[in-house]
Amino acid sequence: MNILLNIFIIIPVLLGILLYFLPTKYNITKIVLFLITVSLNCFFSIYFYGKEILFNTHVLFRLDLYFRYYDLSSFMILVLAIIAFLTAIYSVAFMKKDKNTYTFYAFMLLALSFTNGILLTDNFIVLLIFWEALMIPMFAMIAVGKNQAFLTAIKTLIISSVADLCLMFGVMLICVVGGSFVISQVNIDISQPGALFAFIMIFLGATAKAGAMPFHSWIPDASVKAPIPFMVFIVTAVEKILSIYLLIRIVKDFFVIDIGSDISIYAMSFGVVTLLVANMLAIYQKDFKKMLSYASIGQAGYMIVAISSITVFGMFAALFHMIAHIVYKSCLFFVAGNIEQAEGSTEISSIKNNLRQTMPYTFISFILAGSAFAGVPFFFAFFSKEMIYESAISVSWIFYICLAVGSLLSAVAIMNWAVKLFFSKPKDKIIQEKEVSTFMFIPTIITALACLMFGIFHKVPYNLITGIIGQETGEHSSIVAVILIVVSVLVLVLALVNNLYTCKKSQSGLGFVLVALNYFKVDKLNENKSFDPYEIFIKLIRKFSNIMFVIDKAVNYFYDVIVPVSVNFVSASVKKAHNGNLSIYLLWVVLGIIFIFIIF
């Protein structure tokens, strides 16, 4: 069996199962094994990076299960391994008082293994097996949370199941049309019979994994109930990595699609709707973690737009932004975890202190990550967003305008939370430093510094991704880039002026953006859960259940009441008709003869 299979799949699974069944008296051993496993996974992802390895293994009935370790998969495994390592360090400190901590460790290792399996496999059936298996640790990692987290886990399972069903249909069709179960051997024209429907199904399955609408509603719920490490590892890293990986494979390998084709336009529109609606809803959130979750959904929209442009530059931009997003959003969730540990909650009504004074290092981390999130020049996400803008405008300027509006909403949202968390007037007069432990602070500051360093030295990730895509990004135009940069800076200035002007009057920095959104009744969309596709589905199920209950009662009434009464009535009538009187029997005979003559 190949060493990659052992390192990236078998060992994490076995250690995860071991951690789950080890007695509580070995809790220290569990922590050590957990950290060693993610450390080894990280080490070997670096050691094998850049190598191309093809291998086959056999299971029952000598089935060929092909695996392929190449530039794209090795890059994704590396990013995943680094975030898993940082999340593991953070979770050891963050969840040390939680009785479900060691269960979380076990399922995190399972999730790491299954994700590696998806990235390594070159067989569609194996991909589906790992993809479906990932729902097990996702469910368990949410369920160990608080405040009826089990219900949110059920919601996640149902929504993910619907999305995965779409992926199954798509994979089934692509295997039939492409004539192979081997992923690297499939490359079909979108105009072939059945290919378009296969594309739509796989596209929905892939984008749903990133939290695209309407498959998004479990993420905000999980953000306030699941542990912070879950939001960092699963929502920020795993979901985005798998989604972008599969989307790139769809447009680069699985299908031949023309740039500017109808299917490309529709796919980009799907991404635009996701990013605009999610960023609008992020404005209204009163819990920092919930705001970050909607923002994460919105960022998925940017990447969907970039990849759906079908340009090499778009795929390049999506990969670049995926890394930037994972880095700054992980940092912001770490910040949220730090605040939760110090204040007991991330709801703005529960924050009693001026966190700039009580948590100075967390404040610095927030500023660095928040600047990247807003797209401030010379920070990580600034360059990735500019590339996404350029890939969008190469198709239509309408898409670019939508992206710019989304960026304005993002900038306003993060500036507003900066004011609420770090510049508001403290509710407590006593100022006491509440900075978190070293193990929680190390991942926070590493990701925060990465937001700045990879912005200044953006050529490092740029060169890595150039090697992955395999060809030059020829669409890049220096003149267009300069114009887009100027517009982006003006958008940031507008958001900043709006924030500063509004903060003089109140502790909110939303200003005209909130007024505009309220004018379009977006606040109603945020408050009304009836717009949640999951809630709509549940209501339909309940109505269907009520209808079936009424039908069942009617059927029972028919058999329990109507049928017995009818039978008794008929039998009583027959009994009266056949009372043993000879004249009555002669009358029946005469009536029978008359009836026969009438009929025949």
Side-chain angles (χ1 to χ4, degrees):
M1 188 173 290
N2 190 277
I3 187 173
L4 292 178
L5 204 63
N6 288 319
I7 293 169
F8 294 126
I9 300 176
I10 303 298
I11 291 177
V13 164
L14 294 179
L15 265 296
I17 295 172
L18 178 62
L19 292 186
Y20 184 80
F21 287 106
L22 271 179
T24 54
K25 64 180 180 179
Y26 297 109
N27 284 346
I28 300 299
T29 305
K30 290 182 180 183
I31 293 175
V32 173
L33 289 175
F34 175 61
L35 292 176
I36 288 175
T37 305
V38 293
S39 299
L40 287 175
N41 182 79
C42 188
F43 171 78
F44 283 108
S45 67
I46 297 172
Y47 179 79
F48 285 107
Y49 181 76
K51 295 180 174 62
E52 182 160 347
I53 304 171
L54 303 175
F55 59 97
N56 181 27
T57 187
H58 298 288
V59 291
L60 295 176
F61 310 113
R62 305 292 294 175
L63 294 175
D64 290 324
L65 302 180
Y66 294 100
F67 292 87
R68 182 186 180 201
Y69 186 82
Y70 71 115
D71 47 16
L72 181 59
S73 61
S74 65
F75 177 76
M76 295 296 197
I77 287 173
L78 175 63
V79 174
L80 177 70
I82 293 172
I83 291 299
F85 177 70
L86 294 175
T87 306
I89 294 174
Y90 190 89
S91 63
V92 167
F94 181 80
M95 301 182 67
K96 62 183 179 181
K97 296 180 181 179
D98 193 328
K99 63 180 181 180
N100 295 315
T101 296
Y102 306 103
T103 302
F104 182 89
Y105 294 163
F107 285 107
M108 181 174 164
L109 290 181
L110 291 182
L112 178 63
S113 171
F114 298 153
T115 306
N116 284 337
I118 294 169
L119 297 173
L120 279 173
T121 185
D122 198 33
N123 182 289
F124 277 114
I125 304 303
V126 178
L127 182 144
L128 285 178
I129 292 172
F130 281 123
W131 197 281
E132 294 303 312
L134 186 59
M135 285 200 295
I136 299 171
M138 279 181 61
F139 178 90
M141 291 167 78
I142 295 174
V144 300
K146 56 188 179 181
N147 300 329
Q148 296 183 320
F150 182 78
L151 296 179
T152 301
I154 293 292
K155 181 176 182 177
T156 303
L157 184 65
I158 293 173
I159 293 175
S160 298
S161 298
V162 173
D164 291 355
L165 192 61
C166 294
L167 182 64
M168 285 183 187
F169 278 123
V171 166
M172 177 184 68
L173 281 171
I174 201 173
C175 290
V176 172
V177 177
S180 176
F181 289 106
V182 180
I183 296 175
S184 58
Q185 293 180 5
V186 172
N187 184 254
I188 59 180
D189 193 288
I190 197 70
S191 60
Q192 286 184 238
L196 179 59
F197 187 68
F199 171 85
I200 293 172
M201 290 293 101
I202 298 178
F203 179 83
L204 287 176
T207 54
K209 186 60 74 176
M213 295 183 174
F215 303 99
H216 69 287
S217 61
W218 68 270
I219 297 177
D221 289 352
S223 68
V224 294
K225 294 181 180 179
I228 283 290
F230 171 84
M231 297 303 296
V232 175
F233 183 63
I234 296 294
V235 175
T236 302
V238 170
E239 301 276 274
K240 298 300 181 292
I241 286 171
L242 293 183
S243 175
I244 300 309
Y245 170 77
L246 189 54
L247 285 172
I248 289 177
R249 297 298 303 272
I250 289 171
V251 302
K252 189 172 182 284
D253 300 329
F254 297 174
F255 298 95
V256 178
I257 306 172
D258 295 330
I259 297 173
S261 60
D262 289 343
I263 192 64
S264 172
I265 299 297
Y266 292 142
M268 291 179 73
S269 301
F270 181 81
V272 162
V273 170
T274 292
L275 75 91
L276 285 178
V277 176
N279 284 336
M280 288 177 188
L281 293 176
I283 293 288
Y284 288 95
Q285 304 312 310
K286 293 179 173 56
D287 188 294
F288 185 45
K289 292 186 295 184
K290 211 164 187 179
M291 188 282 288
L292 291 177
S293 68
Y294 275 111
S296 184
I297 297 166
Q299 296 306 305
Y302 283 94
M303 292 176 261
I304 292 170
V305 169
I307 295 174
S308 300
S309 68
I310 318 296
T311 62
V312 174
F313 196 73
M315 287 182 278
F316 185 96
L319 265 181
F320 202 114
H321 192 63
M322 181 199 76
I323 313 170
H325 169 78
I326 289 174
V327 170
Y328 72 69
K329 194 56 64 66
S330 296
C331 182
L332 289 172
F333 271 118
F334 287 146
V335 167
N338 295 354
I339 294 171
E340 183 176 318
Q341 184 110 133
E343 297 288 325
S345 174
T346 52
E347 281 193 28
I348 194 59
S349 59
S350 301
I351 306 297
K352 298 179 180 180
N353 296 284
N354 184 327
L355 300 182
R356 179 165 49 93
Q357 296 174 306
T358 60
M359 306 181 72
Y361 301 113
T362 296
F363 166 65
I364 293 171
S365 300
F366 175 89
I367 292 299
L368 294 176
S371 298
F373 173 73
V376 174
F378 305 111
F379 282 85
F380 201 175
F382 171 75
F383 299 96
S384 60
K385 283 187 177 181
E386 293 304 314
M387 288 187 283
I388 291 176
Y389 298 154
E390 193 166 342
S391 66
I393 205 170
S394 67
V395 178
S396 173
W397 59 270
I398 296 175
F399 291 117
Y400 169 67
I401 291 176
C402 293
L403 294 179
V405 171
S407 295
L408 175 64
L409 294 170
S410 298
V412 168
I414 198 66
M415 289 179 186
N416 178 52
W417 274 97
V419 173
K420 288 180 176 180
L421 295 173
F422 299 101
F423 292 95
S424 59
K425 294 179 181 179
K427 298 175 183 177
D428 286 350
K429 294 182 179 180
I430 300 175
I431 297 176
Q432 183 179 359
E433 188 167 320
K434 295 184 177 181
E435 201 56 84
V436 293
S437 65
T438 303
F439 274 100
M440 290 178 65
F441 181 68
I442 288 174
T444 308
I445 197 63
I446 287 175
T447 49
L449 291 175
C451 291
L452 178 61
M453 299 307 294
F454 284 124
I456 297 173
F457 303 104
H458 63 278
K459 282 293 183 181
V460 175
Y462 185 94
N463 292 333
L464 284 175
I465 297 171
T466 300
I468 293 168
I469 297 300
Q471 47 189 311
E472 292 296 324
T473 54
E475 291 84 352
H476 185 71
S477 169
S478 57
I479 298 175
V480 173
V482 170
I483 295 173
L484 297 183
I485 288 172
V486 170
V487 174
S488 295
V489 171
L490 291 176
V491 167
L492 284 174
V493 170
L494 178 61
L496 181 60
V497 170
N498 172 71
N499 181 273
L500 294 175
Y501 177 76
T502 309
C503 286
K504 289 182 179 180
K505 298 182 178 180
S506 66
Q507 289 296 313
S508 172
L510 297 174
F512 79 91
V513 172
L514 184 63
V515 175
L517 294 181
N518 287 342
Y519 177 79
F520 289 106
K521 307 297 183 183
V522 179
D523 56 326
K524 303 297 182 185
L525 178 64
N526 176 59
E527 296 168 359
N528 194 345
K529 285 192 174 182
S530 61
F531 289 105
D532 184 344
Y534 176 79
E535 296 296 334
I536 294 173
F537 174 76
I538 294 299
K539 285 182 180 179
L540 290 175
I541 292 296
R542 286 172 180 166
K543 288 183 179 179
F544 179 75
S545 300
N546 291 334
I547 293 171
M548 295 306 296
F549 178 76
V550 171
I551 294 175
D552 181 65
K553 292 288 287 183
V555 171
N556 288 339
Y557 184 80
F558 176 78
Y559 284 109
D560 294 342
V561 178
I562 295 178
V563 171
V565 169
S566 301
V567 170
N568 289 335
F569 174 78
V570 171
S571 61
S573 301
V574 171
K575 186 176 181 181
K576 289 180 181 179
H578 295 273
N579 55 7
N581 192 319
L582 181 60
S583 59
I584 295 295
Y585 283 116
L586 290 174
L587 177 61
W588 281 116
V589 171
V590 172
L591 291 175
I593 294 171
I594 295 172
F595 180 76
I596 291 172
F597 274 106
I598 293 173
I599 296 299
F600 300 100

